[in-house]
């Protein structure tokens, strides 16, 4: 079967944005990637070989993925039930919930992160709560720890988990749960065989957005954990801003880009699998 | 359906939503193997009753018994009650065969029996060729077949159909009604159909429960519901009728004379003299022309206002004095009958129905 691609003039509407993206995004990114494969003599893999043979850099990659993973897990654990509640709610309650989810997005990340610095202090509310509930014997500093970083990052990225799941659940037929029940499916069976598969495109969307945001976050780790803990993003920043090492910065940025693209590609593949009716 | 009258037994079912009483103490007993329709306009409580029987909703008051077991507080997945939903509610992420398999998996039917069961029920609804297709691309009729196969595959004791034909076009709907009725009868499955379509209820059911405002107005065989409507509401909701307002006059034996705009009309009934009544006659029970006998018949004169040709039948609308009107259904017009001509109408005494006038407002 051959389908002829006919030119649709409506596509011209995307041209200004396309030109803009090429100039401010595609060309700089290509330059950056190319920079990582170059030295004074031209093309080389030495930047990568040097980077990957340094054990400290594997710690950095590990830090990046581990923090992103836990941030995603926390967002999913909090976001999925919220999305279900949001999809079920009606009228004013739903509007109020949507505002509560979307409004924090208008508060800058820097502001939010400074707020978290206060919350995560030794005398902050989280430490006080953990002591009061008996989880901790004495107040400890959460600021400058990975736990604190994950807490802060999950707070910032939570809406990006809730909204894609909500948008999928909103369209799901509520009769499907009832149909499953009348077919003899107990609640747990219904969850794993109806609710979860139907929410999957939203979950995949939310997970890939939050994970790629969390791998590339820069401000949040800078403020919540500091220089002792490096991720690919903070290392990229240091390389360009402090060390003036363009080759290193280009290398870490490219690895980060590769991770992000891999995540998006994987999730696209996964959701296509879901879309094929099975 | 000998004996076992209360295979499904709903007693005193009440349900309110936000202070609004939707079910008003409904009692209904359905025999094993019977096909019953709940017929009524939207908001009459028929869907609420169906959801209470399926367990998807619990009644405020009353109880539900199925096959001798009280299931009032049993959750839906333990009830053995199959439902075909109005929009079919097929699982969009599963193929046709996997939709049918869902109930088998949910009920932990041994895996080696799955394929045979799926084949059997997809075969019964003529969907075997579609087993591996996604449900997305199926037409409305095909989706309904799959929904029926899926509900039947778990061998429910009771089958509930919630307006299952409303999304189908007329021709397909009629075919599916006959086919589904035949299938369910051959399997001997007790079935309750919820519908607002009187024709559908009359065609498919052994008995029809006509509902209005949260109560059952009449529960009887389709012919009784049509020919002997118990209340003015049933008369009005099921089928057409000529309705004539009148006042109860003198009675002679069990024959009551009623004074109307058309003159005196006789009916077998006992009403207090002077009370306002409504007389009704089904249009196909009325004949055009002079009556062959003058005994045990009513006859009136009226002017032909409109002749509506509907293919196999013809509706004639007539007008009498003081705005009174009548409707006749016939298969052939008598010669000479045209708009504007005067004619005589007649019908047998026993075809005259009578209701208190205020019930007519329903």
């Amino acid at each position: 079967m051959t389908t002829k691609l006919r030119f649709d003039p409506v596509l011209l509407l995307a041209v200004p944005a396309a030109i803009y993206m090429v100039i401010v995004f595609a060309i700089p990114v290509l330059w950056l990637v190319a920079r990582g494969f170059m030295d004074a003599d031209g093309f080389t893999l030495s930047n990568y070989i040097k980077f990957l043979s340094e054990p400290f850099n594997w710690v950095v990659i590990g830090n990046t993925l581990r923090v992103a993973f836990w941030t995603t897990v926390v967002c999913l654990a909090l976001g999925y039930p919220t999305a279900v509640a949001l999809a079920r709610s009606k009228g004013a309650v739903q509007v109020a919930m949507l505002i509560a989810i979307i409004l924090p997005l208008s508060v800058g990340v820097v502001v939010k992160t400074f707020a978290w610095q206060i919350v995560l202090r030794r005398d902050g509310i989280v430490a006080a709560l953990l002591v009061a509930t008996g989880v901790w014997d004495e107040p400890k500093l959460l600021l400058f720890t990975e736990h604190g970083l994950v807490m802060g990052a999950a707070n910032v990225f939570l809406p990006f988990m809730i909204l894609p799941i909500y948008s999928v659940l909103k369209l799901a037929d509520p009769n499907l749960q009832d149909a499953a029940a009348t077919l003899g499916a107990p609640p747990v069976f219904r969850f794993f065989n109806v609710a979860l598969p139907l929410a999957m495109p939203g979950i995949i969307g939310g997970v890939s957005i939050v994970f790629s945001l969390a791998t590339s976050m820069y401000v949040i780790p800078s403020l919540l954990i500091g220089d002792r803990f490096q991720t690919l993003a903070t290392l990229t920043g240091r390389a360009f801003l402090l060390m003036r090492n363009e080759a290193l910065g280009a290398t870490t940025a490219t690895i980060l880009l590769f991770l992000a693209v891999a995540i998006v590609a994987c999730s696209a593949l996964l959701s296509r699998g879901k879309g094929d009716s099975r | 359906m000998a004996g076992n009258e209360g295979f499904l037994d709903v007693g005193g079912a009440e349900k309110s939503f936000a202070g609004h009483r939707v079910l008003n103490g409904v009692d209904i007993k359905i025999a094993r193997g019977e096909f019953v329709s709940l017929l009524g306009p939207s908001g009459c409580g028929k869907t609420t009753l169906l959801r209470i029987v399926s367990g998807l909703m619990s009644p405020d008051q009353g109880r539900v018994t199925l096959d001798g077991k009280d299931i009032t507080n049993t959750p839906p997945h333990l009830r053995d009650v199959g439902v075909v939903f109005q929009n079919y509610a097929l699982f969009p992420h599963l193929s046709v065969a996997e939709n049918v398999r869902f109930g088998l998996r949910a009920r932990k039917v041994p895996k080696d029996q799955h394929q045979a069961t799926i084949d059997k029920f997809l075969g019964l609804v003529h969907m075997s060729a579609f087993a591996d297709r996604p449900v997305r691309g199926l037409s409305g009729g095909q989706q309904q077949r799959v929904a029926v196969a899926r509900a039947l595959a778990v061998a429910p004791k009771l089958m509930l159909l919630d307006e299952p034909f409303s999304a189908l076009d007329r021709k397909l709907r009629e075919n599916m009604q006959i086919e589904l009725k035949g299938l369910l009868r051959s399997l001997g499955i007790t079935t309750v159909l919820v519908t607002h379509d009187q024709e559908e209820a009359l065609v498919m059911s052994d008995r029809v429960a006509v509902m209005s405002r949260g109560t059952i107005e009449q529960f009887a065989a389709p012919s009784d519901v049509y020919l002997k409507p118990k209340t003015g509401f049933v008369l009005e909701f099921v089928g057409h009728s000529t309705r004539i307002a009148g006042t109860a006059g003198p009675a002679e034996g069990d024959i009551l004379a009623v004074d109307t705009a058309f003159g005196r009309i006789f009916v077998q009934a006992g009403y207090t003299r002077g009370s306002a009544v409504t007389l009704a006659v089904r249009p196909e029970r009325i004949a055009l022309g002079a009556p062959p006998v003058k005994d045990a018949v009513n006859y009136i004169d009226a002017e032909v206002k409109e002749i509506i040709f509907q293919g196999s039948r013809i509706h004639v609308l007539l007008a009498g004095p003081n705005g009174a009107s009548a409707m006749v259904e016939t298969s052939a017009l008598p010669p000479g009958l045209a708009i504007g001509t005067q004619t005589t109408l007649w019908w047998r005494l026993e075809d005259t129905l009578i209701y208190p006038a205020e019930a007519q407002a329903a």
Side-chain angles (χ1 to χ4, degrees), chain A residues 29-63:
Chain A
V29 165
L30 282 176
W31 177 85
L32 186 71
V33 171
R35 182 64 189 80
F37 290 99
M38 278 191 296
D39 63 6
D41 306 326
F43 179 80
T44 178
L45 285 174
S46 63
N47 289 330
Y48 287 88
I49 295 165
K50 210 164 87 191
F51 181 81
L52 294 175
S53 57
E54 187 90 51
F56 171 76
N57 289 333
W58 284 99
V59 173
V60 171
I61 293 175
N63 285 347

Side-chain angles (χ1 to χ4, degrees), chain B residues 10-233:
Chain B
V10 179
E14 285 181 19
K15 183 77 186 178
S16 300
F17 295 109
H20 178 65
R21 182 71 67 86
V22 178
L23 273 191
N24 213 340
V26 166
D27 300 284
I28 189 168
K29 283 188 166 82
I30 293 170
R32 188 191 292 273
E34 200 175 15
F35 195 122
V36 166
S37 291
L38 303 178
L39 172 67
S42 57
C44 72
K46 57 190 193 298
T47 300
T48 304
L49 182 56
L50 179 119
R51 290 181 73 82
I52 285 172
V53 172
S54 67
L56 295 171
M57 197 180 271
S58 48
D60 299 336
Q61 291 285 323
R63 41 162 194 81
V64 182
T65 312
L66 179 64
D67 200 10
K69 209 176 103 197
D70 188 325
I71 56 168
T72 313
N73 297 313
T74 310
H77 65 275
L78 301 174
R79 281 199 182 194
D80 276 342
V81 175
V83 182
V84 174
F85 290 84
Q86 187 167 8
N87 67 352
Y88 313 129
L90 297 179
F91 302 120
H93 58 297
L94 301 176
S95 70
V96 167
E98 291 306 312
N99 262 277
V100 180
R101 195 195 302 273
F102 186 94
L104 305 176
R105 282 169 51 218
R107 292 183 181 223
K108 299 202 166 68
V109 172
K111 276 214 171 71
D112 53 340
Q113 295 170 23
H114 286 191
Q115 199 53 49
T117 311
I118 294 168
D119 291 345
K120 178 184 167 194
F121 286 98
L122 284 183
L124 280 175
V125 298
H126 310 296
M127 288 296 288
S128 303
F130 295 82
D132 296 322
R133 296 262 197 106
V135 294
R136 264 184 238 277
L138 300 182
S139 72
Q142 291 167 337
Q143 287 188 38
Q144 184 184 58
R145 288 164 189 274
V146 177
V148 168
R150 181 179 71 174
L152 286 173
V154 293
K157 284 179 179 168
L158 177 69
M159 186 77 154
L160 305 178
L161 311 174
D162 184 8
E163 306 254 9
F165 305 104
S166 56
L168 307 179
D169 62 55
R170 192 187 169 92
K171 201 81 178 180
L172 181 61
R173 183 162 63 212
E174 287 172 1
N175 290 338
M176 289 299 288
Q177 283 169 3
I178 306 286
E179 189 182 322
L180 186 56
K181 182 187 175 181
L183 173 63
L184 293 169
R185 173 152 304 166
S186 69
L187 295 169
I189 291 196
T190 314
T191 306
V192 178
L193 166 74
V194 158
T195 182
H196 63 271
D197 182 337
Q198 41 147 321
E199 213 170 303
E200 186 171 299
L202 298 180
V203 165
M204 296 195 72
S205 324
D206 298 316
R207 282 195 290 171
V208 178
V210 184
M211 292 184 70
S212 165
R213 298 177 184 179
T215 55
I216 293 177
E217 297 259 330
Q218 185 171 13
F219 184 34
S223 58
D224 284 347
V225 166
Y226 184 76
L227 294 174
K228 296 174 200 153
K230 209 164 117 189
T231 65
F233 175 82

Side-chain angles (χ1 to χ4, degrees), chain B residues 252 255 266 268 290-299 346-352:
Chain B
E252 196 177 306
I255 307 293
F266 298 93
Q268 276 175 304
V293 289
K294 302 262 167 177
D295 231 20
V297 297
N298 282 306
Y299 52 100
W346 70 274
W347 63 90
R348 295 184 307 165
L349 196 68
E350 70 243 43
D351 288 331
T352 316

